[in-house]
């Protein structure tokens, strides 16, 4: 499912116009994005948790030359599914 299909599903489920469903989805995604930018986790009961994980610096290897290189620290968004969501999929 892509974003337009998700907007259609939201509009149908909530019985609202497609434009309002698109605005609601965009607002939701913006709120999640801003929260993660501020390093605050977003927990949706029955669905899962979005959070930012810190990755420390580490040594890696250039696959072309085999040379060791230093990989800088980074922040990465992650999603952890809730038990309810996992059970629904199984």
């Amino acid at each position: 499912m892509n974003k337009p299909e998700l907007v259609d599903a939201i509009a149908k489920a909530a019985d609202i116009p497609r434009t309002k469903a698109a605005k609601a989805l965009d607002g939701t995604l913006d709120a999640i994005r801003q929260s993660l930018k501020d390093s605050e986790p977003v927990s949706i009961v029955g669905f899962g948790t979005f959070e930012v994980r810190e990755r420390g610096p580490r040594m890696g290897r250039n696959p072309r030359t085999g040379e060791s290189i230093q990989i800088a620290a980074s922040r990465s968004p992650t999603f952890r599914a809730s038990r309810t969501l996992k059970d629904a999929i199984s």
Side-chain angles (χ1 to χ4, degrees), residues 6-21:
L6 184 57
V7 168
D8 289 339
I10 292 169
K12 184 177 178 182
D15 195 27
I16 59 175
R18 192 174 183 285
T19 54
K20 287 189 177 187

PDB file of all heavy atoms in Angstrom, residues 6-21:
ATOM      1  N   LEU A   6      -3.430   4.629   1.038  1.00  0.00           N
ATOM      2  CA  LEU A   6      -3.686   4.812   2.461  1.00  0.00           C
ATOM      3  C   LEU A   6      -4.673   5.955   2.687  1.00  0.00           C
ATOM      4  O   LEU A   6      -5.589   5.855   3.508  1.00  0.00           O
ATOM      5  CB  LEU A   6      -2.376   5.067   3.215  1.00  0.00           C
ATOM      6  CG  LEU A   6      -2.456   5.192   4.729  1.00  0.00           C
ATOM      7  CD1 LEU A   6      -3.091   3.956   5.352  1.00  0.00           C
ATOM      8  CD2 LEU A   6      -1.065   5.408   5.305  1.00  0.00           C
ATOM      9  N   VAL A   7      -4.519   7.041   1.950  1.00  0.00           N
ATOM     10  CA  VAL A   7      -5.446   8.176   2.040  1.00  0.00           C
ATOM     11  C   VAL A   7      -6.855   7.719   1.666  1.00  0.00           C
ATOM     12  O   VAL A   7      -7.833   8.053   2.349  1.00  0.00           O
ATOM     13  CB  VAL A   7      -4.990   9.353   1.144  1.00  0.00           C
ATOM     14  CG1 VAL A   7      -6.083  10.400   1.006  1.00  0.00           C
ATOM     15  CG2 VAL A   7      -3.720   9.981   1.696  1.00  0.00           C
ATOM     16  N   ASP A   8      -6.973   6.942   0.603  1.00  0.00           N
ATOM     17  CA  ASP A   8      -8.283   6.422   0.194  1.00  0.00           C
ATOM     18  C   ASP A   8      -8.900   5.546   1.286  1.00  0.00           C
ATOM     19  O   ASP A   8     -10.096   5.641   1.569  1.00  0.00           O
ATOM     20  CB  ASP A   8      -8.173   5.626  -1.108  1.00  0.00           C
ATOM     21  CG  ASP A   8      -7.914   6.505  -2.321  1.00  0.00           C
ATOM     22  OD1 ASP A   8      -8.211   7.722  -2.262  1.00  0.00           O
ATOM     23  OD2 ASP A   8      -7.399   5.977  -3.329  1.00  0.00           O
ATOM     24  N   ALA A   9      -8.097   4.699   1.904  1.00  0.00           N
ATOM     25  CA  ALA A   9      -8.591   3.821   2.966  1.00  0.00           C
ATOM     26  C   ALA A   9      -9.049   4.628   4.182  1.00  0.00           C
ATOM     27  O   ALA A   9     -10.083   4.319   4.783  1.00  0.00           O
ATOM     28  CB  ALA A   9      -7.509   2.825   3.374  1.00  0.00           C
ATOM     29  N   ILE A  10      -8.307   5.671   4.538  1.00  0.00           N
ATOM     30  CA  ILE A  10      -8.684   6.534   5.664  1.00  0.00           C
ATOM     31  C   ILE A  10      -9.986   7.260   5.350  1.00  0.00           C
ATOM     32  O   ILE A  10     -10.892   7.330   6.184  1.00  0.00           O
ATOM     33  CB  ILE A  10      -7.557   7.541   5.990  1.00  0.00           C
ATOM     34  CG1 ILE A  10      -6.330   6.810   6.543  1.00  0.00           C
ATOM     35  CG2 ILE A  10      -8.040   8.603   6.974  1.00  0.00           C
ATOM     36  CD1 ILE A  10      -5.086   7.681   6.648  1.00  0.00           C
ATOM     37  N   ALA A  11     -10.090   7.801   4.136  1.00  0.00           N
ATOM     38  CA  ALA A  11     -11.296   8.527   3.738  1.00  0.00           C
ATOM     39  C   ALA A  11     -12.524   7.619   3.791  1.00  0.00           C
ATOM     40  O   ALA A  11     -13.590   8.018   4.275  1.00  0.00           O
ATOM     41  CB  ALA A  11     -11.124   9.105   2.338  1.00  0.00           C
ATOM     42  N   LYS A  12     -12.372   6.403   3.326  1.00  0.00           N
ATOM     43  CA  LYS A  12     -13.491   5.461   3.322  1.00  0.00           C
ATOM     44  C   LYS A  12     -13.869   5.049   4.743  1.00  0.00           C
ATOM     45  O   LYS A  12     -15.049   5.022   5.103  1.00  0.00           O
ATOM     46  CB  LYS A  12     -13.129   4.229   2.497  1.00  0.00           C
ATOM     47  CG  LYS A  12     -14.245   3.247   2.351  1.00  0.00           C
ATOM     48  CD  LYS A  12     -13.847   2.084   1.475  1.00  0.00           C
ATOM     49  CE  LYS A  12     -14.990   1.072   1.385  1.00  0.00           C
ATOM     50  NZ  LYS A  12     -14.613  -0.090   0.591  1.00  0.00           N
ATOM     51  N   ALA A  13     -12.866   4.729   5.577  1.00  0.00           N
ATOM     52  CA  ALA A  13     -13.126   4.266   6.941  1.00  0.00           C
ATOM     53  C   ALA A  13     -13.746   5.369   7.806  1.00  0.00           C
ATOM     54  O   ALA A  13     -14.609   5.098   8.643  1.00  0.00           O
ATOM     55  CB  ALA A  13     -11.834   3.765   7.582  1.00  0.00           C
ATOM     56  N   ALA A  14     -13.305   6.614   7.616  1.00  0.00           N
ATOM     57  CA  ALA A  14     -13.795   7.721   8.437  1.00  0.00           C
ATOM     58  C   ALA A  14     -14.982   8.445   7.796  1.00  0.00           C
ATOM     59  O   ALA A  14     -15.531   9.370   8.390  1.00  0.00           O
ATOM     60  CB  ALA A  14     -12.668   8.715   8.695  1.00  0.00           C
ATOM     61  N   ASP A  15     -15.333   8.039   6.569  1.00  0.00           N
ATOM     62  CA  ASP A  15     -16.430   8.664   5.831  1.00  0.00           C
ATOM     63  C   ASP A  15     -16.230  10.181   5.723  1.00  0.00           C
ATOM     64  O   ASP A  15     -17.112  10.972   6.065  1.00  0.00           O
ATOM     65  CB  ASP A  15     -17.782   8.333   6.481  1.00  0.00           C
ATOM     66  CG  ASP A  15     -18.951   8.652   5.554  1.00  0.00           C
ATOM     67  OD1 ASP A  15     -18.757   8.620   4.318  1.00  0.00           O
ATOM     68  OD2 ASP A  15     -20.053   8.953   6.067  1.00  0.00           O
ATOM     69  N   ILE A  16     -15.020  10.545   5.274  1.00  0.00           N
ATOM     70  CA  ILE A  16     -14.676  11.950   5.067  1.00  0.00           C
ATOM     71  C   ILE A  16     -14.119  12.122   3.660  1.00  0.00           C
ATOM     72  O   ILE A  16     -13.716  11.145   3.026  1.00  0.00           O
ATOM     73  CB  ILE A  16     -13.640  12.454   6.111  1.00  0.00           C
ATOM     74  CG1 ILE A  16     -12.339  11.633   6.050  1.00  0.00           C
ATOM     75  CG2 ILE A  16     -14.223  12.439   7.510  1.00  0.00           C
ATOM     76  CD1 ILE A  16     -11.235  12.140   6.947  1.00  0.00           C
ATOM     77  N   PRO A  17     -14.099  13.356   3.148  1.00  0.00           N
ATOM     78  CA  PRO A  17     -13.530  13.586   1.807  1.00  0.00           C
ATOM     79  C   PRO A  17     -12.043  13.220   1.767  1.00  0.00           C
ATOM     80  O   PRO A  17     -11.334  13.287   2.772  1.00  0.00           O
ATOM     81  CB  PRO A  17     -13.713  15.085   1.575  1.00  0.00           C
ATOM     82  CG  PRO A  17     -14.750  15.515   2.553  1.00  0.00           C
ATOM     83  CD  PRO A  17     -14.665  14.586   3.708  1.00  0.00           C
ATOM     84  N   ARG A  18     -11.613  12.845   0.573  1.00  0.00           N
ATOM     85  CA  ARG A  18     -10.224  12.431   0.380  1.00  0.00           C
ATOM     86  C   ARG A  18      -9.244  13.545   0.763  1.00  0.00           C
ATOM     87  O   ARG A  18      -8.178  13.266   1.322  1.00  0.00           O
ATOM     88  CB  ARG A  18     -10.040  12.031  -1.085  1.00  0.00           C
ATOM     89  CG  ARG A  18      -8.763  11.320  -1.373  1.00  0.00           C
ATOM     90  CD  ARG A  18      -8.732  10.831  -2.826  1.00  0.00           C
ATOM     91  NE  ARG A  18      -7.527  10.081  -3.060  1.00  0.00           N
ATOM     92  CZ  ARG A  18      -6.332  10.601  -3.209  1.00  0.00           C
ATOM     93  NH1 ARG A  18      -6.172  11.904  -3.134  1.00  0.00           N
ATOM     94  NH2 ARG A  18      -5.279   9.834  -3.416  1.00  0.00           N
ATOM     95  N   THR A  19      -9.565  14.808   0.496  1.00  0.00           N
ATOM     96  CA  THR A  19      -8.655  15.918   0.817  1.00  0.00           C
ATOM     97  C   THR A  19      -8.462  16.052   2.325  1.00  0.00           C
ATOM     98  O   THR A  19      -7.359  16.308   2.787  1.00  0.00           O
ATOM     99  CB  THR A  19      -9.171  17.248   0.243  1.00  0.00           C
ATOM    100  OG1 THR A  19     -10.504  17.471   0.693  1.00  0.00           O
ATOM    101  CG2 THR A  19      -9.131  17.236  -1.277  1.00  0.00           C
ATOM    102  N   LYS A  20      -9.534  15.853   3.093  1.00  0.00           N
ATOM    103  CA  LYS A  20      -9.415  15.931   4.547  1.00  0.00           C
ATOM    104  C   LYS A  20      -8.624  14.748   5.087  1.00  0.00           C
ATOM    105  O   LYS A  20      -7.855  14.886   6.035  1.00  0.00           O
ATOM    106  CB  LYS A  20     -10.791  16.007   5.204  1.00  0.00           C
ATOM    107  CG  LYS A  20     -11.458  17.338   5.020  1.00  0.00           C
ATOM    108  CD  LYS A  20     -12.704  17.457   5.850  1.00  0.00           C
ATOM    109  CE  LYS A  20     -13.298  18.850   5.668  1.00  0.00           C
ATOM    110  NZ  LYS A  20     -14.409  19.093   6.555  1.00  0.00           N
ATOM    111  N   ALA A  21      -8.798  13.588   4.481  1.00  0.00           N
ATOM    112  CA  ALA A  21      -8.037  12.408   4.894  1.00  0.00           C
ATOM    113  C   ALA A  21      -6.550  12.623   4.609  1.00  0.00           C
ATOM    114  O   ALA A  21      -5.696  12.256   5.423  1.00  0.00           O
ATOM    115  CB  ALA A  21      -8.543  11.164   4.172  1.00  0.00           C
TER     116      ALA A  21
END
